[in-house]
Amino acid sequence: LFRFVRRSGRLEELVLADPKQVVALRSVTRECLPDAEAMIVCLLADVSKYHAAYEFCESLIWRDSGALLQVTAMAAYALGLAACPLGPHGKQLLPALGLDAQRTMACGLIAIGKYS
């Protein structure tokens, strides 16, 4: 698993707190796209940052993540790739990475790969 670091433009390898949760997430994505050979991108929101600026922030998080998933799908298409936003949100990544579910919210999954 990797995290994109915006400031450096690089990927940072993540340390897993519970690798079984990654297996569970992969199982969930396979249920959605059983034959796909794809990279899975999960969006996570830092809820505390949203709460600092907005009283009722959850709808804003969902709006932002939906817009980001759509832009990602369009960019993938423009690059000749297939992209499929998935129904599950990726909540398995929170315990997999040892993240606090009160502070962090899984808010989107998208599969990106080649057309077959």
Side-chain angles (χ1 to χ4, degrees):
L1 292 179
F2 298 91
R3 172 178 81 137
F4 176 71
V5 181
R6 182 175 38 125
R7 290 185 181 151
S8 66
R10 297 181 185 260
L11 293 177
E12 175 183 273
E13 188 171 0
L14 298 172
V15 176
L16 296 177
D18 186 356
K20 292 177 188 174
Q21 293 296 323
V22 176
V23 173
L25 177 61
R26 192 65 176 153
S27 176
V28 167
T29 60
R30 284 275 179 222
E31 288 177 24
C32 296
L33 299 169
D35 298 324
E37 294 290 329
M39 172 181 61
I40 304 299
V41 177
C42 182
L43 304 180
L44 300 176
D46 185 338
V47 178
S48 64
K49 288 183 180 180
Y50 279 85
H51 272 298
Y54 302 97
E55 187 175 350
F56 302 105
C57 69
E58 191 168 323
S59 64
L60 183 62
I61 291 171
W62 288 118
R63 185 200 68 187
D64 288 352
S65 63
L68 184 54
L69 287 171
Q70 278 214 282
V71 168
T72 302
M74 290 187 295
Y77 179 77
L79 294 169
L81 298 170
C84 182
L86 304 175
H89 302 127
K91 64 182 180 181
Q92 297 85 349
L93 272 187
L94 300 179
L97 297 172
L99 298 173
D100 180 2
Q102 297 298 316
R103 181 183 168 143
T104 311
M105 181 175 151
C107 52
L109 287 177
I110 186 168
I112 303 171
K114 293 180 180 180
Y115 286 102
S116 51

